[in-house]
Amino acid sequence: MNKLHYHIIERIRNQASLLSHAPAVRHKNNGKWIDTNWKDFLAEIDVLSRAFLACNINIQDKIAIFANNMPRWTIADYAAMQVRAVTVPIYSTNTAEQVAYILNDADVKILFVGNQTQYDEAMIVTKNCPQLQYIIAMQKEIDLRNHSIAMHWSDFVKDGYPEMQTQLEKRLQEKNMDDLFTLIYTSGTTGNPKGVMLTHANLAHQMEAHDLALQPLGTHDISLAFLPLSHIYERGWQAYMLHRGVVYAYLEDPHTVKDALAEVRPTLMCAVPRFYEKIYSAVMDKVHQAPLLRKLIFYWALRVGKAYFSRNKNLSMPYLLHKQFKLADKLVLSKLRAITGGQIKLMPCGGAKLDPCIAKFFFAIGNNVIAGYGLTETTATVSCSRDNNFNPESIGIPMPKCEVKIGNNNEILVRGGMVMKGYYKNPQATAEAFTEDGFLRTGDAGKLDEQGNLFITDRIKELMKTSTGKYIAPQVLEGKIGKDKFVDQIAVIADAKQYVSALIVPCFETLEAHAKELNIQFRDRKELLKNSEIVKLFEKRIQRLQKELPSFEQVKKFTLLPEAFTMKMNEITPTLKLKRKVILERYKKQIEAMYKP
């Protein structure tokens, strides 16, 4: 069976036939986790597919989803694919202006919305989207406010449309690997987003590559959807989970991940470095406050864990290591694994580089964090670490059938079956994205070692040059300081400046609790941030975090901000990347104050 010619819809339908009464997806409703089996899951996809055909959705028409993670997100996605339409995901946090741009640029005919806030945002823009035919409310509680083209999901599918079954079967038979399965608008840090065109062949390539690169996964596994399905990272992973028959559990509110991990006890979960940083920071803070004996036991257990998990699996385990590990696991390691549910066997980490010391920590406790790298333009994964090749500095080894080379300015260049068709309605941007020999320009600087490990150094366009001629890689510095438990967001300033400075948004939940412990009185956040003890706290922690860096790379001055960078203010992208030009302009006065003599 050549999986490259195995269409994702064919995989879904085959799984529904083979696993009929086994759970396909899981979601929380009124405090209880509820399963939907494969037979019922496909039935819901089919009825929505027939409803699409009944309202004349043609081949490669666009259907948008503006919602948080939920089973109906996936049902709408795969129903669109079944009728050879194209799904256009919209980040659940996008503003009305951003939603309008995507709806119009993509010529969207049907828009699904997940909750009342998203519905109301959509209402603002519908008058400027003449091609939009329907707005479908995915939850029955949404007030439609008597809008002429809006209806609830249940009303959209209530007739079942059995007369459309023959046409659905015809669309299924005619499915084409060259069809677009999605159009994803990248959240550029400058200008309007570009629509990335990904085909079914791109998705099939990634399913085959993941089969070759990862350990076998199947019906005994559970994957928790922590990241948004509107991003290719989680969406591509979900396709792979369904392809493998893994139970897929939806987390609608990412803020409830702690409880969900304990309740679902997943074996798999995709996350970004910030998730791991928060766990690491909370653990290490408790360790720093612990008595000396407990500290010694903790660090001893980590050393044993590292030795145990890095041993040669082909050789018999040393008797002493076996005994030490059993004790270390009982006293420390199992308790740390319990934070993520205690059953994790694979946790892909992407979106940015994970700090090596955090990677080493999770490796030592037995949580298999798989470092990876990818782009929307590459249908997610370009590289990932392997079970037998832990390198905390690396972002993995290139995926099977993926060519990676280093070009001019150390740029990582990629070629293979997972690379996008191009940017929608934008031939110029498409041409600029590729080299003459067909490699995609990633915009990331990196290197490959002799063992094939890929390393990323920084975004090429984001390298900053101080007025003294020194180059600064802001993301590296932001990663080092950003892992602190008191830091929520950080923006490094250095371009054309005599030294490095930073704008820091504290993690106010942690900071305010700390202030109360010290009996610091404050009326509001602004007053708290002016307190000399709080300023000294940040000075000490920042100094400790960057002490290993050369002096010219270190943050010399910083300003604490009372408000977070937000998408609403256009300061960050939906993938939480900083829009530096916007931040520089908005905080111009604060930045200038840090450089006054």
Side-chain angles (χ1 to χ4, degrees):
M1 179 178 66
N2 186 347
K3 295 184 180 66
L4 188 55
H5 298 103
Y6 228 43
H7 197 289
I8 184 62
I9 290 302
E10 193 171 343
R11 292 297 299 132
I12 296 291
R13 301 189 75 81
N14 282 357
Q15 294 289 33
S17 175
L18 291 168
L19 305 173
S20 181
H21 296 290
V25 297
R26 182 173 294 168
H27 75 287
K28 201 170 189 179
N29 186 26
N30 294 324
K32 291 184 178 180
W33 288 93
I34 299 170
D35 287 349
T36 302
N37 67 34
W38 275 97
K39 181 182 177 182
D40 294 341
F41 181 55
L42 181 59
E44 289 192 60
I45 293 171
D46 281 353
V47 72
L48 186 58
S49 296
R50 293 194 296 269
F52 285 153
L53 295 171
C55 56
N56 299 314
I57 289 297
N58 296 315
I59 293 169
Q60 299 290 270
D61 274 352
K62 314 299 188 301
I63 292 165
I65 305 174
F66 180 35
N68 291 23
N69 292 353
M70 62 178 76
R72 283 182 171 177
W73 205 112
T74 305
I75 291 163
D77 187 17
Y78 284 87
M81 290 190 219
Q82 286 205 142
V83 299
R84 297 179 65 191
V86 183
T87 303
V88 183
I90 300 175
Y91 287 98
S92 60
T93 49
N94 273 12
T95 64
E97 183 183 11
Q98 292 165 333
V99 172
Y101 176 82
I102 293 171
L103 293 177
N104 286 326
D105 192 69
D107 305 307
V108 169
K109 288 190 174 180
I110 297 178
L111 171 64
F112 287 86
V113 293
N115 60 34
Q116 191 68 54
T117 302
Q118 290 149 0
Y119 180 84
D120 291 342
E121 290 283 345
M123 289 300 93
I124 297 170
V125 305
T126 50
K127 60 181 181 295
N128 298 318
C129 302
Q131 81 290 344
L132 195 62
Q133 297 173 5
Y134 297 97
I135 298 174
I136 310 300
M138 298 167 87
Q139 295 179 344
K140 62 183 180 182
E141 297 83 8
I142 295 174
D143 183 352
L144 302 181
R145 311 199 194 286
N146 298 315
H147 198 282
S148 59
I149 64 168
M151 66 173 69
H152 285 104
W153 178 294
S154 56
D155 293 324
F156 188 64
V157 301
K158 69 177 181 181
D159 293 331
Y161 303 105
E163 71 277 10
M164 291 294 153
Q165 184 62 29
T166 302
Q167 192 177 344
L168 173 57
E169 289 170 6
K170 186 172 184 290
R171 290 273 176 103
L172 288 168
Q173 288 168 2
E174 293 174 349
K175 61 187 178 295
N176 192 317
M177 296 298 279
D178 292 329
D179 282 349
L180 299 185
F181 83 90
T182 195
L183 183 58
I184 300 179
Y185 281 79
T186 57
S187 46
T189 53
T190 57
N192 287 322
K194 299 188 288 285
V196 176
M197 297 186 288
L198 299 177
T199 68
H200 280 281
N202 292 147
L203 191 58
H205 176 101
Q206 287 291 42
M207 286 192 290
E208 180 184 23
H210 282 70
D211 273 347
L212 294 170
L214 301 181
Q215 58 184 268
L217 304 172
T219 55
H220 50 283
D221 288 303
I222 303 168
S223 186
L224 182 64
F226 167 59
L227 300 177
L229 281 164
S230 46
H231 193 280
I232 190 58
Y233 182 13
E234 184 66 48
R235 183 132 161 266
W237 180 254
Q238 183 196 57
Y240 187 61
M241 294 298 93
L242 297 174
H243 158 67
R244 297 298 309 183
V246 172
V247 179
Y248 193 79
Y250 294 83
L251 183 62
E252 189 169 346
D253 180 3
H255 295 103
T256 62
V257 66
K258 185 179 178 181
D259 291 338
L261 283 165
E263 294 162 359
V264 176
R265 302 190 75 202
T267 59
L268 312 161
M269 190 179 86
C270 289
V272 291
R274 192 65 183 140
F275 171 80
Y276 302 103
E277 287 166 2
K278 285 188 174 182
I279 293 175
Y280 175 80
S281 177
V283 169
M284 296 311 291
D285 188 59
K286 286 184 179 179
V287 171
H288 289 315
Q289 295 175 26
L292 179 60
L293 181 59
R294 289 184 67 184
K295 281 183 185 177
L296 292 172
I297 293 171
F298 174 83
Y299 287 111
W300 166 81
L302 288 188
R303 287 194 299 273
V304 171
K306 181 183 177 183
Y308 178 84
F309 291 111
S310 59
R311 75 191 190 281
N312 188 331
K313 309 295 190 295
N314 296 321
L315 300 177
S316 59
M317 188 187 303
Y319 175 79
L320 183 59
L321 178 60
H322 175 67
K323 289 292 185 183
Q324 285 183 324
F325 179 76
K326 282 187 74 174
L327 182 58
D329 200 55
K330 181 180 179 180
L331 295 177
V332 178
L333 306 181
S334 62
K335 294 179 175 65
L336 295 173
R337 289 197 302 275
I339 297 171
T340 54
Q343 299 294 317
I344 290 292
K345 70 179 187 185
L346 193 70
M347 290 187 86
C349 176
K353 187 177 181 297
L354 183 65
D355 189 286
C357 70
I358 298 174
K360 290 174 186 175
F361 167 79
F362 279 96
F363 177 79
I365 70 171
N367 265 2
N368 189 15
V369 175
I370 299 291
Y373 167 70
L375 300 86
T376 305
E377 288 86 345
T378 59
T379 326
T381 321
V382 166
S383 66
C384 77
S385 54
R386 307 296 200 267
D387 286 343
N388 59 352
N389 186 49
F390 175 70
N391 185 328
E393 304 287 341
S394 168
I395 49 168
I397 296 169
M399 294 291 283
K401 301 186 179 181
C402 170
E403 293 181 75
V404 174
K405 70 176 183 178
I406 306 301
N408 296 333
N409 299 318
N410 295 322
E411 184 173 18
I412 298 170
L413 304 175
V414 180
R415 186 168 65 182
M418 70 291 169
V419 175
M420 68 170 180
K421 187 175 181 179
Y423 294 115
Y424 190 60
K425 297 180 181 176
N426 201 335
Q428 183 181 341
T430 300
E432 290 171 355
F434 290 89
T435 62
E436 289 183 5
D437 53 351
F439 279 81
L440 177 75
R441 304 177 191 274
T442 66
D444 290 311
K447 61 182 180 179
L448 283 161
D449 70 10
E450 293 178 358
Q451 287 74 43
N453 291 297
L454 182 61
F455 301 83
I456 189 167
T457 52
D458 205 59
R459 289 289 297 173
I460 288 171
K461 292 178 182 177
E462 288 198 351
L463 281 175
M464 297 177 179
K465 192 176 183 181
T466 65
S467 59
T468 60
K470 300 287 188 180
Y471 281 98
I472 304 295
Q475 290 183 330
V476 173
L477 192 49
E478 287 161 355
K480 280 190 175 293
I481 297 174
K483 69 185 179 186
D484 189 85
K485 71 169 185 173
F486 288 112
V487 177
D488 188 27
Q489 296 171 315
I490 174 171
V492 162
I493 315 295
D495 227 14
K497 305 294 184 183
Q498 61 266 43
Y499 51 81
V500 181
S501 67
L503 298 170
I504 296 174
V505 178
C507 179
F508 281 103
E509 183 181 350
T510 307
L511 184 62
E512 287 170 2
H514 181 72
K516 285 173 184 174
E517 285 177 13
L518 297 177
N519 202 27
I520 295 174
Q521 304 297 316
F522 57 95
R523 287 172 297 181
D524 53 29
R525 289 179 174 179
K526 286 184 179 180
E527 186 175 336
L528 174 63
L529 299 184
K530 288 177 182 176
N531 185 281
S532 60
E533 285 189 65
I534 297 299
V535 174
K536 284 177 184 175
L537 169 76
F538 277 90
E539 284 175 350
K540 286 180 181 177
R541 297 182 81 92
I542 289 169
Q543 280 304 110
R544 192 181 79 233
L545 289 162
Q546 61 179 356
K547 66 182 179 182
E548 295 174 1
L549 295 174
S551 178
F552 72 87
E553 287 186 20
Q554 294 182 10
V555 169
K556 298 294 191 290
K557 291 187 180 181
F558 61 88
T559 298
L560 300 174
L561 302 178
E563 295 176 359
F565 303 130
T566 64
M567 276 175 271
K568 192 172 184 180
M569 296 301 292
N570 200 33
E571 296 159 329
I572 55 173
T573 71
T575 50
L576 308 184
K577 293 184 180 73
L578 300 173
K579 290 196 172 185
R580 297 189 189 275
K581 286 185 179 179
V582 176
I583 290 169
L584 286 172
E585 185 57 37
R586 186 175 178 206
Y587 294 97
K588 195 174 181 179
K589 287 182 180 177
Q590 290 92 330
I591 293 167
E592 286 175 353
M594 289 190 285
Y595 291 95
K596 284 182 179 176

